[in-house]
Amino acid sequence: MEASPIYKLPQDTLHQIFSSLPLRQIMICKSVCKFFNRMLASPSFIHLISLTPPLRFLALRPPPHHHHRHLSSQTSLHVYDPDQNQWLRFNLSFLPFRSAPHPVASATGLVYFWCDNHRDSVNSSEGKSLVVCNPLTSQFKVLPQLGSAWSKHGAVLVDSANRVMVLTELAFLFLSDRNPKSWLSFSANLPSKPRSPVLVSDSVFALCDVGSPWRSQWKLFRCQLSSLNNNNNHNHNHWMCLEKHEWADLFDIIKRPRLVRGHGNRLLMIGGLKSTFSLNPSCSTILILRLDLDRLEWEEAGRMPVEMYRCFQESTKLKVFGGGDRVCFSAKRLGKLALWIDCGDEDEDCWRWIEGAPGGGGSGDGLWRGFVFEARLTALP
């Protein structure tokens, strides 16, 4: 290798050559040799490719109660590349924690993990910390410490402005660039446990069941992040119910809805399409509804083909994850995932199966969970 003519080229010339490649090819070149890896990780090259489009992956995460099992298999981040229809693995061994990092969320090329506070303890009982890192560059940063209860019960939401929210039924924590060293604590004051919270622009949206023990009634709630100030205000209710009179019938036809962030300023609500209005109705398929947050109007975005839905019909557990124009569906003991791609029409080719997912959903039952990961070499923790 030392005699290779490529070593004689000026660094600027090498940077110009490699900057013309798409990000997928640059990632492959980084693993060719140490010389390529150092050169492609240099600040001058990273600056040169700042406008290179990211790669959009669907990343998997294990169930919360498997934090400390199968450590060797969990020291990697498994992602699916929809464009190439293949599975990839990012090594996380650079994170200096003995227990396996648990991936929970991602924004603008950065992935957030729960890790033990004490790096020398596998089962630390003294709390957890969120660690933010770029798996492509091995750079990471530890966020302020949190109690272990937050990691067990809190939903983690992040955005491109480095804002982080950890949300539970009773309270939520908020961290932003204005207060980077301490979490702000707020009372949630929600009528029930928030379901599938998502962060879109300046707002967090969540579904809450306001019905009775015999019949669910779902409502959409919103919390605007700009309303959160620097003072710990435990009394003010930051959440408001977002509803219109014409939405009533829409929420009645969908069973066990979930939220997923849509493309742009849109929100997706996904659930079973009820076949009747009985107390415990069966469903005919899975329905995807799209809410335009500017006009506050819903429209149907897609519905799962009946042949595909039959595979989900017998399962008591269903997980939905993704974002933008790509949503994944997994179910217990199914052994594969279903993928919906928003094609902008009713073409059934927008639905397809994903085979070969690693790990059996983390628990052997095929029930996968995950999030969107937009891989970027330029993302800094």
Side-chain angles (χ1 to χ4, degrees), residues 171-187:
F172 64 91
L173 301 177
F174 181 63
L175 188 72
S176 69
D177 286 341
R178 296 179 61 185
N179 299 277
K181 296 184 179 180
S182 62
W183 295 89
L184 299 180
S185 175
F186 300 90
S187 175

Side-chain angles (χ1 to χ4, degrees), residues 57-200:
F57 299 133
L58 290 166
L60 297 184
R61 64 182 181 90
H65 55 280
H66 287 268
H67 281 204
H68 302 294
R69 300 183 185 180
H70 313 296
L71 298 190
S72 60
S73 65
Q74 291 186 26
T75 53
S76 298
L77 178 68
H78 295 277
V79 302
Y80 174 71
D81 184 348
D83 295 327
Q84 299 292 315
N85 190 27
Q86 64 179 357
W87 290 94
L88 304 173
R89 181 175 62 87
F90 291 98
N91 192 341
L92 302 175
S93 60
F94 62 87
L95 291 173
F97 302 92
R98 285 187 59 191
S99 63
H102 182 74
V104 288
S106 177
T108 58
L110 299 175
V111 181
Y112 291 73
F113 300 85
W114 284 114
C115 293
D116 288 329
N117 287 328
H118 290 273
R119 304 179 183 185
D120 296 329
S121 174
V122 174
N123 295 300
S124 172
S125 61
E126 299 186 31
K128 300 278 185 178
S129 287
L130 278 170
V131 175
V132 54
C133 84
N134 185 341
L136 275 64
T137 63
S138 302
Q139 295 174 301
F140 70 93
K141 179 176 69 174
V142 181
L143 300 184
Q145 179 178 341
L146 287 172
S148 57
W150 290 98
S151 65
K152 293 178 182 177
H153 306 292
V156 179
L157 308 176
V158 297
D159 70 356
S160 58
N162 298 319
R163 295 180 295 187
V164 185
M165 177 183 283
V166 185
L167 174 65
T168 67
E169 181 175 354
L170 301 177
F172 64 91
L173 301 177
F174 181 63
L175 188 72
S176 69
D177 286 341
R178 296 179 61 185
N179 299 277
K181 296 184 179 180
S182 62
W183 295 89
L184 299 180
S185 175
F186 300 90
S187 175
N189 290 323
L190 287 168
S192 65
K193 182 179 179 179
R195 172 171 244 184
S196 57
V198 295
L199 204 166
V200 181

